[in-house]
Amino acid sequence: MFLRKLKITAFCLLLTSWQASGPKENVLMDLLKKPCSVSDVTATEHLTNPLRYKIHACDGDTDTFYHSQWVEGVNSSPFFTLLLGDTFHIKTITVVNVHTGNYCTDNPVDCTERINGAKVEVLADDVVIEDCGRIIVTSNTLTAEAQTYPIDCGDGAEGNKVRVQLEDTEEPLLIAEISVTGYKPLDHYSS
């Protein structure tokens, strides 16, 4: 009985220490609260249709999506930036490509290929810290599973924003959902 009380007391002291100063090891977690708010996102202006607002890329619903404005025949570099609210080691950025709507049903290849080549980056304020990679469309199947692209950021680039951007294109940027996993650096907890 004494040993059990000792173990419980030690656990409580460890838990109290963790609550006071943060974890003693990195804990991988989802860094994005869902649904996000307008203040969590900056992006190229969206279509005027309320169903295409920027917050639809982080509302927890893969059947809604952000759709940037574009002018046919004019090149631009549409982007979507998610503000994380604090500095984190970013491990993975997962982007779900658009896969719903009448346009996609009628034109699945064109619909799914629009995000092809988009770069995925970690930023500290407005400075690119890590170019994690590019989205390479591997399927034209119109399901969330087939249109999910996890981008590995290696050992974890430290930043407070993530960005998805197409460069010098005539295509709009469309994102059904974005999620970010990582951890808060241990040295960012107060002691």
Side-chain angles (χ1 to χ4, degrees), residues 79-94:
F79 67 92
F80 180 90
T81 304
L82 188 59
L83 314 174
L84 300 174
D86 205 345
T87 300
F88 295 95
H89 276 290
I90 310 300
K91 297 293 285 175
T92 307
I93 302 166
T94 302

Side-chain angles (χ1 to χ4, degrees), residues 86-106:
D86 205 345
T87 300
F88 295 95
H89 276 290
I90 310 300
K91 297 293 285 175
T92 307
I93 302 166
T94 302
V95 179
V96 180
N97 193 7
V98 65
H99 58 278
T100 60
N102 291 337
Y103 183 79
C104 286
T105 302
D106 295 342

Side-chain angles (χ1 to χ4, degrees), residues 3-190:
L3 189 56
R4 183 170 180 221
K5 275 185 153 182
L6 187 61
K7 285 181 181 178
I8 290 172
T9 303
F11 174 75
C12 289
L13 287 172
L14 179 63
L15 182 60
T16 303
S17 171
W18 183 85
Q19 289 172 334
S21 64
K24 300 300 179 205
E25 62 182 50
N26 297 323
V27 178
L28 198 61
M29 60 186 163
D30 187 0
L31 302 179
L32 181 60
K33 62 182 191 271
K34 303 266 178 126
C36 65
S37 69
V38 173
S39 63
D40 296 329
V41 177
T42 61
T44 303
E45 192 62 38
H46 53 76
L47 290 182
T48 55
N49 182 334
L51 297 176
R52 305 301 174 244
Y53 286 167
K54 60 189 177 183
I55 60 169
H56 288 301
C58 50
D59 63 359
D61 183 355
T62 61
D63 289 335
T64 62
F65 58 92
Y66 159 74
H67 188 304
S68 71
Q69 287 184 348
W70 87 104
V71 178
E72 196 169 331
V74 175
N75 283 11
S76 66
S77 296
F79 67 92
F80 180 90
T81 304
L82 188 59
L83 314 174
L84 300 174
D86 205 345
T87 300
F88 295 95
H89 276 290
I90 310 300
K91 297 293 285 175
T92 307
I93 302 166
T94 302
V95 179
V96 180
N97 193 7
V98 65
H99 58 278
T100 60
N102 291 337
Y103 183 79
C104 286
T105 302
D106 295 342
N107 306 285
V109 173
D110 185 50
C111 178
T112 57
E113 292 286 332
R114 286 181 168 182
I115 202 166
N116 198 38
K119 67 181 178 176
V120 180
E121 304 168 312
V122 174
L123 294 85
D125 297 319
D126 293 323
V127 177
V128 175
I129 300 300
E130 182 76 28
D131 182 349
C132 296
R134 295 195 180 261
I135 296 172
I136 306 300
V137 173
T138 56
S139 172
N140 302 118
T141 303
L142 296 176
T143 64
E145 294 79 24
Q147 292 303 314
T148 297
Y149 297 97
I151 305 296
D152 184 1
C153 292
D155 290 334
E158 196 170 299
N160 60 353
K161 299 178 183 180
V162 297
R163 178 170 61 198
V164 178
Q165 182 173 18
L166 289 170
E167 295 179 296
D168 196 30
T169 182
E170 292 182 21
E171 297 295 333
L173 179 62
L174 290 80
I175 299 174
E177 199 64 28
I178 188 168
S179 61
V180 181
T181 58
Y183 56 89
K184 190 168 186 170
L186 293 176
D187 59 350
H188 287 243
Y189 286 96
S190 59

